[in-house]
Amino acid sequence: MRWLALLPLLALCLAGRAGPAAAQAQSSSSYPDRPVKIVVPYIAGSAPDVAARQVADRLTAGLGQQFIVDNKPGASGNIGGEVAARATPDGYTLLLMTGNHVINPYLYAKPGYSLKDFAPITVITRLPSLMVVPPSSPAKTVAEFIALAKAKPGKLNYGSGGIVSLANLSAQAFRLATGIDYVHVPYKGAPDIVRGLLGEQIDVAFPTMPTVVRLAQQGSLRPLAVTSAKRSTVMPDVPTLLEALPNGFVQDSWLALAAPAGTPSAILDRLYVTLKKASENQEFRTALSSDGSEVVFNTPAEFAAMLPDESRRYQDLIKQLDIKIE
């Protein structure tokens, strides 16, 4: 009889234990039931922003709730990264993640997050850099640029978005591979780099392909090489640095979708499956790849497995170049 009297209390305890799991399962099955925010750590109109808006439109169409881009630019992506890392892991705040979020923890003492703060969903695209010079440059090939730089040691200059930018890492990797000596001219961002090239204030730059592909196709800038593993489908006549250099290298970045760590895997999978299905639409693929980007959409597990290799690659390059934030 004493045990019978305790049964209602035991039932309540078991219900309490099952409550959070059951609530999470219910939440995941009904996701999303309100608008979702995609934090983009870069300005409106930038390559990450454009890709994020394409993705937001497809998720809105596929899941029946509004996916809204929220631009939080600054500090090489750290501001937006921290906002997303601290958000509630319920699937209603996502992050447009880039290679900078792998690089920055090695460069900044307090970036506001680490890789373990994010749950990978999928890599959207990979973005190679394009080595470009002004059309007035006497260099028409990579070999000719190297010869020009060696004939004028310390006289040529290159532009980038600062020492922590991928454009600078590519330019410095090129210096190591070729033994040339040129001067770094830091700019605030890609538009300023383009103006520096067009105004012949800098001799070369390695911006991401989406930034300059149209100008290169029009002849306003001269492309010498692409930093991807294979030639670009939008500029197939431009060689890779692997082809152009005896000790060439691959240096590209990527745009991806991630969520705060702890977001239920069912939600991550639902987002991935929706985007993977959307990627079968040729219009969507063309919109993402027409600027020279390579469409990916790998699984959450594949994205997670990729991150340690990316982390080691950037860490080794940063150590080799002895890049530090003062």
Side-chain angles (χ1 to χ4, degrees):
M1 294 297 291
R2 191 176 296 172
W3 282 107
L4 289 175
L6 291 174
L7 283 177
L9 180 60
L10 180 61
L12 284 173
C13 290
L14 291 173
R17 286 187 179 183
Q24 187 181 83
Q26 176 64 28
S27 174
S28 298
S29 65
S30 61
Y31 174 86
D33 59 12
R34 63 182 187 272
V36 179
K37 178 171 62 178
I38 301 177
V39 176
V40 176
Y42 303 94
I43 61 171
S46 62
D49 175 77
V50 171
R53 292 178 191 277
Q54 291 283 345
V55 165
D57 288 346
R58 296 293 166 167
L59 288 173
T60 296
L63 294 174
Q65 280 289 342
Q66 193 72 28
F67 281 71
I68 303 165
V69 168
D70 184 17
N71 297 95
K72 298 288 185 185
S76 296
N78 283 345
I79 292 174
E82 184 173 6
V83 168
R86 293 185 177 184
T88 303
D90 56 7
Y92 290 93
T93 299
L94 307 176
L95 174 68
L96 196 287
M97 191 177 183
T98 74
N100 279 59
H101 295 111
V102 176
I103 297 170
N104 289 347
Y106 298 117
L107 293 171
Y108 292 88
K110 296 179 179 180
Y113 58 86
S114 68
L115 280 181
K116 71 179 190 310
D117 293 322
F118 303 114
I121 299 172
T122 188
V123 175
I124 301 164
T125 58
R126 295 199 75 99
L127 292 77
S129 294
L130 193 63
M131 181 183 180
V132 287
V133 297
S136 60
S137 173
K140 293 180 173 57
T141 65
V142 172
E144 289 179 358
F145 181 84
I146 295 170
L148 181 66
K150 288 188 173 181
K152 300 179 178 181
K155 299 297 183 182
L156 301 187
N157 53 39
Y158 73 90
S160 86
I163 62 171
V164 300
S165 68
L166 289 165
N168 183 52
L169 293 180
S170 294
Q172 289 290 350
F174 186 81
R175 176 181 64 81
L176 289 176
T178 61
I180 66 169
D181 178 23
Y182 50 9
V183 178
H184 182 205
V185 179
Y187 288 93
K188 289 183 179 179
D192 294 325
I193 297 172
V194 171
R195 282 191 284 271
L197 286 163
L198 295 175
E200 301 181 9
Q201 296 157 348
I202 53 176
D203 300 293
V204 68
F206 293 77
T208 55
M209 201 160 186
T211 306
V212 292
V213 66
R214 300 289 176 249
L215 291 169
Q217 289 171 331
Q218 295 164 7
S220 300
L221 294 173
R222 181 184 300 145
L224 300 186
V226 63
T227 65
S228 51
K230 58 184 180 181
R231 294 194 181 198
S232 169
T233 56
V234 299
M235 300 196 77
D237 294 334
V238 178
T240 67
L241 283 177
L242 291 175
E243 296 174 276
L245 294 174
N247 54 341
F249 59 92
V250 174
Q251 182 73 27
D252 59 6
S253 185
W254 39 264
L255 303 178
L257 196 65
T263 301
S265 59
I267 289 177
L268 304 179
D269 290 339
R270 179 165 294 185
L271 291 164
Y272 163 70
V273 168
T274 302
L275 285 175
K276 184 65 174 177
K277 183 177 180 180
S279 72
E280 297 170 3
N281 181 287
Q282 190 56 47
E283 182 182 355
F284 182 41
R285 295 184 70 87
T286 300
L288 290 172
S289 63
S290 62
D291 61 5
S293 301
E294 176 192 348
V295 177
V296 181
F297 290 114
N298 54 2
T299 67
E302 288 168 339
F303 183 10
M306 178 192 98
L307 285 173
D309 289 338
E310 290 287 294
S311 184
R312 280 191 295 271
R313 178 166 70 94
Y314 284 123
Q315 187 179 23
D316 290 346
L317 181 58
I318 289 164
K319 283 182 178 179
Q320 190 177 15
L321 297 174
D322 194 29
I323 296 176
K324 295 182 177 67
I325 299 293
E326 298 298 334

